[in-house]
Each structure stands twice: as C-alpha cells, then as structure tokens.
Amino acid sequence: MDTKTPLFDAAHCEPDSWESLDYEGKVLAMRPEVLKEEYRTGEFQLWLATGGFGCSPTAIGRAVYATCLADGEETRWDRADFLGVVKDEFLPDWAREKLEAIQAQRQSGPTMGGMS
C-alpha cells in the first residue's frame, strides 16, 4: 500500500453525494476528524459501503456498514461521518486493488470452516 496517500476532502468526492447519492457498493471518504489521530491518513479515509439504512440519502436510519480498504476492518458508521463518494479519478491504485479483492471475496460467498 502507498503510505503517501494525501488526505481526502470534499473536492475529491462527487458533488453533493453526501446528500443525494446511495452509498451502497461505493467507495467513501471518511471525514478526517472522525478518525483517531493515528489513523488520520488518506489510506484510512477510504471505506467501501456494504449496507445499512444510512446508505440511502432519504432513509431515516443513519447506519452505514463499511469495510476499510486499508486494513479490511468492517464496522458501522453514521452517514454524517463521510464526506461522500470518492470520484473514480482520485482512487489510488492500491485502493482499486483492495476494492477488487473485497468485491471478489464477497461474490464468492461466505466461507464456513474453510470451505466455500
């Protein structure tokens, strides 16, 4: 992973995506101030939204379930914790590779006891 990924801001995101786009299946940029200080890097700002009512801009729910592209952590965030959907041209190569790996793993289905 390229550890020199700069911090993302609203200019790196689709315009008004935080209020108008569905997040599910999209790469999101986390607001840096939400992250612990030691994780305030561009790498840890990139998350793949995997579900939750907060993925929809019109839902009452706020929960967005997501996977961190940097380390694979899966957790719950609020929609307001994200800046928006990252524009494709700003997605670093290492993040594209991680995204492809996560998507391939999800398509192959869950495993149980080491068997698919």
Side-chain angles (χ1 to χ4, degrees):
M1 171 175 29
D2 177 7
T3 58
K4 297 186 191 228
T5 303
L7 284 176
F8 290 86
D9 61 30
H12 297 101
C13 298
E14 296 293 340
D16 300 320
S17 60
W18 61 273
E19 67 181 14
S20 62
L21 291 180
D22 189 292
Y23 282 175
E24 191 162 352
K26 307 247 180 11
V27 176
L28 310 176
M30 177 76 63
R31 294 181 181 281
E33 63 271 14
V34 173
L35 298 168
K36 290 183 179 180
E37 193 170 335
E38 61 266 28
Y39 295 104
R40 285 187 192 153
T41 65
E43 292 81 17
F44 288 99
Q45 279 186 278
L46 297 176
W47 293 76
L48 172 63
T50 57
F53 288 118
C55 283
S56 171
T58 58
I60 293 173
R62 301 176 304 184
V64 174
Y65 296 94
T67 303
C68 180
L69 296 185
D71 64 7
E73 177 185 352
E74 297 179 359
T75 194
R76 178 211 182 274
W77 297 98
D78 284 346
R79 185 176 179 94
D81 293 333
F82 296 99
L83 294 166
V85 176
V86 176
K87 291 179 185 176
D88 193 52
E89 65 261 27
F90 293 114
L91 200 60
D93 289 339
W94 70 262
R96 286 181 205 284
E97 292 170 12
K98 293 278 190 152
L99 178 61
E100 290 172 9
I102 291 169
Q103 289 171 332
Q105 181 181 13
R106 289 187 183 282
Q107 286 178 353
S108 68
T111 59
M112 186 170 156
M115 301 179 79
S116 298

